[in-house]
């Protein structure tokens, strides 16, 4: 096992996520790109990554996304690595950072339980999938049009994301430029709704993993003044259609599953996405107990 910075580790981390991907696993290369790049580095203050090499790339990694949050990805054939990586994270932080796994990742759940981790009450996410063969065509009301983001349009693209999400969003122009340079980002899968007078008003970024054919939708947004007109649905369908045309066979999206924020899940299920496994959040118990 050795330690890397996130910039150096990201590619190998994505490769392992891709190799292990199934509807029962949590990580997708696009989610990792978004998590690593959605804000500028001095704002994100990401911690180090511990990586374990196998015969063909990595067999496991653990990322201290922050001082109190750990992301874990371990080949189910090497379950013993969970304990090693959790011990590393504990040593690095002086305490046990919390983490999240999919309920179907039994090797992680078992290793974390042995390391003293316990399930905790926290917002959770439900992975949803959609067979792209049955994708409906997108439609927008008069006055709006769907189109892909253009290279050099990072400023307007970051602004529509911020306007949809919140004024506290940390997606700056500079951050979006870095994101656009991060594989597997593609301009043709980054779709916006443009209004005749108001400019960009909704957006959806799809990330295609060519190895698995899975296109992850992350994130989707519509500015408050234009909500309730079907734009989030339409822009998601358009991004998924672009991904399908580029070779994707399955759509993936991971909205909140708890009752605290139910609208996005409704939007995606309205497009035909079907719910699968949910995430569980685990907190470190007392290692001396
Ligand atoms: C969630 C969000 C993207 C929805 O945008 P939108 O353009 O208003 O959504 P749409 O008009 O396409 O709605 C699609 C469906 O969701 C339903 N819906 C949308 N907002 C809703 C609300 N506040 N309450 C109940 N249902 C709602 C619509 O009725 C529609 O259902 P229908 O197809 O059966 O009519 C938007 O509110 C937003 O940007 N929120 C902040 C960012 C965010 O949470 N993104 C998603 C995270 S994964």
């Amino acid at each position: 096992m050795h330690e890397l910075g996130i910039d150096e580790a990201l590619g190998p981390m994505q490769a392992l996520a891709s190799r292990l991907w199934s509807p029962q696993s949590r990580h997708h290369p696009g989610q990792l790109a978004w998590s690593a790049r959605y804000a500028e580095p001095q704002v994100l203050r990401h911690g180090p990554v511990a990586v374990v090499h196998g015969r063909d790339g990595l067999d496991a990694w653990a990322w201290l996304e922050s001082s109190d949050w750990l992301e874990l990805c371990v080949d189910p054939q090497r379950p013993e690595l969970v304990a090693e990586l959790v011990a590393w994270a504990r040593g690095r932080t002086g305490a046990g950072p919390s983490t999240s796994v999919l309920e179907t990742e039994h090797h992680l759940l078992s290793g974390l339980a042995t390391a003293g981790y316990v399930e905790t009450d926290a917002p959770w996410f439900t992975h949803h999938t959609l067979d792209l063969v049955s994708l409906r065509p997108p439609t927008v009301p008069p006055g709006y049009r769907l189109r892909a983001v253009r290279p050099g349009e990072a400023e307007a693209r970051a602004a529509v994301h911020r306007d949809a999400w919140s004024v506290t969003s940390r997606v700056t122009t500079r951050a979006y430029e870095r994101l656009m340079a991060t594989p597997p980002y593609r301009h043709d899968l980054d779709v916006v709704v443009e209004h005749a007078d108001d400019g960009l008003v909704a957006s959806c970024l799809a990330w295609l993993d060519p190895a698995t054919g899975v296109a992850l939708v992350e994130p989707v947004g519509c500015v408050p003044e234009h909500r309730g007109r079907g734009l989030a649905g339409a822009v998601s369908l358009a991004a998924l259609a672009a991904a399908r045309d580029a070779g994707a066979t399955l759509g993936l999206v991971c909205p909140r599953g708890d009752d605290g924020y139910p609208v996005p899940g409704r939007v995606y299920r309205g497009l035909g996405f079907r719910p699968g496994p949910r995430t569980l959040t685990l907190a470190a118990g007392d290692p001396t107990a």
Side-chain angles (χ1 to χ4, degrees), residues 16-281:
L16 181 63
S18 176
R19 177 166 75 79
L20 298 183
W21 194 87
S22 82
Q24 285 77 44
S25 64
R26 181 161 126 73
H27 293 291
H28 181 283
Q31 178 62 56
L32 294 171
W34 176 258
S35 298
R37 297 283 155 81
Y38 71 89
E40 295 178 51
Q42 73 278 11
V43 172
L44 290 169
R45 300 170 57 83
H46 286 319
V49 185
V51 298
V52 181
H53 285 275
R55 269 188 312 198
D56 183 20
L58 300 186
D59 274 356
W61 52 256
W63 177 25
L64 279 168
E65 190 173 355
S66 66
S67 56
D68 60 2
W69 189 261
L70 179 71
E71 292 288 354
L72 261 182
C73 184
V74 177
D75 188 332
Q77 306 296 318
R78 305 282 315 271
E80 74 283 2
L81 295 175
V82 178
E84 196 181 320
L85 291 167
V86 169
W88 167 81
R90 276 203 153 112
R92 231 13 190 91
T93 57
S98 295
T99 189
S100 179
V101 304
L102 214 51
E103 62 182 336
T104 40
E105 293 179 309
H106 301 294
H107 64 302
L108 297 182
L109 283 167
S110 160
L112 286 162
T114 305
Y117 273 71
V118 289
E119 200 181 322
T120 181
D121 196 19
W124 43 275
F125 298 84
T126 304
H127 283 214
H128 287 63
T129 52
L130 171 65
D131 182 342
L132 297 181
V133 169
S134 51
L135 200 61
R136 293 203 309 266
T139 54
V140 286
Y144 296 93
R145 76 178 179 115
L146 290 158
R147 68 166 174 86
V149 167
R150 301 180 190 114
E153 221 178 6
E155 187 175 356
R157 178 63 181 85
V160 69
H161 176 92
R162 283 196 307 275
D163 292 347
W165 281 79
S166 108
V167 285
T168 59
S169 163
R170 295 172 290 174
V171 178
T172 60
T173 302
R174 178 73 196 109
Y176 213 89
E177 282 167 351
R178 289 183 81 229
L179 185 78
M180 286 171 152
T182 303
Y185 178 89
R186 294 171 52 144
H187 286 96
D188 56 332
L189 309 188
D190 192 0
V191 181
V192 287
V193 179
E194 190 168 30
H195 182 258
D197 300 322
D198 296 350
L200 304 189
V201 296
S203 57
C204 173
L205 176 54
W207 300 90
L208 171 60
D209 177 3
T212 58
V214 179
L216 171 75
V217 163
E218 168 76 341
V220 177
C222 179
V223 304
E225 302 76 16
H226 292 265
R227 285 182 187 163
R229 299 173 197 176
L231 299 181
V235 78
S236 301
L237 288 174
L240 287 163
R244 182 199 53 203
D245 294 348
T249 53
L250 193 74
L252 171 69
V253 70
C254 312
R256 286 268 293 274
D258 57 274
D259 291 336
Y261 195 49
V263 168
R266 275 183 217 146
V267 173
Y268 303 126
R269 286 189 292 278
L271 304 180
F273 276 96
R274 290 292 160 254
R278 59 162 280 187
T279 60
L280 301 170
T281 299

